[in-house]
């Protein structure tokens, strides 16, 4: 389960817009929002792209995308 609060915080701190992130992931803005809000899950390939895009360390990535 994605830690929505942490993910939104990192996106804001990086100064990225949701439409740009969605574009990089090949998603619609609505599709991205569903994944951020845990209505659907991120694919492994999307997590890889987000890790690079958001400059996440591995432990930070794990706390965001593999929260329990």
């Amino acid at each position: 389960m994605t830690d929505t609060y942490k993910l939104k915080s990192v996106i804001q701190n990086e100064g990225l817009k949701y439409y740009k992130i969605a574009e990089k992931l090949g998603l619609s803005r609505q599709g991205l929002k569903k994944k951020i809000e845990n209505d659907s899950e991120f694919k492994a390939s999307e997590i890889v792209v987000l890790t690079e895009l958001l400059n996440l360390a591995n432990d930070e990535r794990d706390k965001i995308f593999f929260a329990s």
Side-chain angles (χ1 to χ4, degrees), residues 20-34:
K20 281 291 190 186
I21 296 170
E23 187 177 276
K24 293 278 186 186
L25 296 175
L27 299 170
S28 66
R29 288 191 336 214
Q30 294 83 4
L32 176 61
K33 183 176 186 257
K34 284 183 177 185

Side-chain angles (χ1 to χ4, degrees), residues 2 4-5 9-11 17-18 20 22-23 27-28 30 34 44 49-50 52-53 55 58 60 62 64-65:
T2 301
T4 299
Y5 177 77
S9 178
V10 170
I11 290 170
K17 302 292 182 193
Y18 287 114
K20 281 291 190 186
E23 187 177 276
L27 299 170
S28 66
Q30 294 83 4
K34 284 183 177 185
V49 172
L50 283 168
E52 293 175 9
L53 192 61
N55 300 310
N58 290 340
E60 206 174 9
D62 292 348
I64 292 171
F65 295 105

Side-chain angles (χ1 to χ4, degrees), residues 3-56:
D3 185 326
T4 299
Y5 177 77
K6 285 182 184 175
L7 180 55
K8 286 181 175 182
S9 178
V10 170
I11 290 170
Q12 184 176 9
N13 289 341
E14 288 294 319
L16 295 171
K17 302 292 182 193
Y18 287 114
Y19 79 93
K20 281 291 190 186
I21 296 170
E23 187 177 276
K24 293 278 186 186
L25 296 175
L27 299 170
S28 66
R29 288 191 336 214
Q30 294 83 4
L32 176 61
K33 183 176 186 257
K34 284 183 177 185
K35 290 179 184 243
I36 291 173
E37 298 294 334
N38 287 303
D39 291 332
S40 63
E41 293 184 6
F42 282 101
K43 296 178 186 177
S45 60
E46 294 166 340
I47 293 172
V48 169
V49 172
L50 283 168
T51 299
E52 293 175 9
L53 192 61
L54 300 174
N55 300 310
L56 299 174

